[in-house]
DNA sequence: AAATGAAATGATATGTTGTAACGTGGTACC
DNA sequence: GGTACCACGTTACAACATATCATTTCATTT
């Protein structure tokens, strides 16, 4: 078998929110209305969403201002529990299409349209970790992102 | 031979500034006093330096305020000409120890002390590019950074 | 030397991203 | 009722980045 040694389907829409809820509650955290709203907004994006983008949309949705601060708190929680990823080179966040399944994700970010796609290549990221460890470094979180242009924009 | 198929020594101090100057002028750009000052300040850091850090130090050095935007301009020029790298996960910059030698660099950033080390593994980064291309993506700039703790901090 | 034009830098303002500190409201437990 | 805890609100601020236009510098031409 190739680099991806397990099976899982990517969730979408309500299915995804449902999986996210399950993952978060399984981790002993609460699934509040605020968290549900933030996750659902985040999940509508096909490109990395900034905390401020999310704050704006959630504010609209609720008819009441939600401060970026609150969004950051919840995004941090999501990232810690693998419901979302932070895209470092974009200062923004993406919903994780398979919460409950742990990966060092690789993101491909289009410099033209801003869209981001997510690929998994566990052997590749394992090698990144190995290279770091070989240099005497204790690898905790590999950041592997590729900037370029997507197929649509070429 | 291993992953690094060519030889080069890493430059330091005046030697490095000299190499940087050579590389920049070879690219048809000017090596001005401002650029020399910014590079020399940047090169003193062993951890990624923010544009504001650099602006402060260069301001001191010159006895006259240098605005961040001037620093950003020159950092962009340095990055474009391979005299420096931007560390995306730190919103900061590092002098390139071997200007004139092109790599997709890998950075190891310690979450404890903030220090960053730079490793080259061309086969690894080549595989990152390959994985992206395999997904129909036109890879321009791989970002490979590893967050964790350095040997000193363990 | 004076005029010209291009490149580099200065100055100012503003936009974007991220955190710190502290207050409020709900809920579980005693 | 008291109290401990957690989520969220509110405000303020810090840090990072860019836009715009003015000024300086320097080489080229006359
Ligand atoms: Zn998977
Ligand atoms: Zn695109
Ligand atoms: Zn090299
Ligand atoms: Zn360290």
């Amino acid at each position: 078998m190739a680099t991806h040694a397990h099976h899982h389907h990517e969730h979408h829409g309500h299915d995804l929110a449902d999986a996210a809820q399950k993952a978060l509650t399984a981790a002993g955290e609460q699934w509040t209305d605020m968290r549900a709203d933030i996750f659902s907004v985040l999940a509508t994006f096909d490109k990395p969403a900034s905390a401020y983008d999310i704050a704006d949309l959630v504010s609209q949705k609720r008819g009441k201002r939600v401060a970026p601060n609150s969004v950051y708190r919840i995004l941090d929680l999501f990232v810690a529990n693998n419901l979302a990823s932070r895209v470092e080179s974009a200062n923004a966040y993406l919903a994780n299409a398979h919460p409950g399944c742990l990966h060092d994700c690789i993101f491909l970010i289009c410099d033209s349209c801003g869209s981001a796609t997510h690929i998994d290549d566990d052997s590749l990221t394992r090698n990144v970790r190995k290279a770091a460890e070989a240099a005497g470094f204790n690898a905790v979180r590999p950041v592997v992102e590729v900037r370029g242009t997507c197929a649509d924009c070429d």
Side-chain angles (χ1 to χ4, degrees), chain A residues 55-121:
Chain A
D56 287 346
L57 288 173
V58 173
S59 294
Q60 279 183 236
K61 180 168 186 169
R62 307 201 128 203
K64 177 169 190 309
R65 171 181 151 84
V66 174
N69 191 349
S70 296
V71 176
Y72 274 111
R73 264 195 297 241
I74 292 177
L75 285 174
D76 286 349
L77 180 77
F78 286 174
V79 170
N81 289 279
N82 201 39
L83 271 62
S85 302
R86 177 175 165 84
V87 181
E88 294 292 348
S89 70
N91 295 329
Y93 299 82
L94 279 175
N96 187 338
H98 44 72
C101 163
L102 221 55
H103 289 281
D104 293 330
C105 292
I106 301 171
F107 295 106
L108 315 178
I109 302 110
C110 177
D111 289 327
S112 169
C113 68
S115 77
T117 61
H118 155 255
I119 62 177
D120 291 322
D121 187 330

Side-chain angles (χ1 to χ4, degrees), chain A residues 125-139:
Chain A
T125 55
R126 201 159 37 232
N127 283 337
V128 172
R129 285 178 178 271
K130 268 190 214 155
E133 306 282 359
F137 190 81
N138 175 33

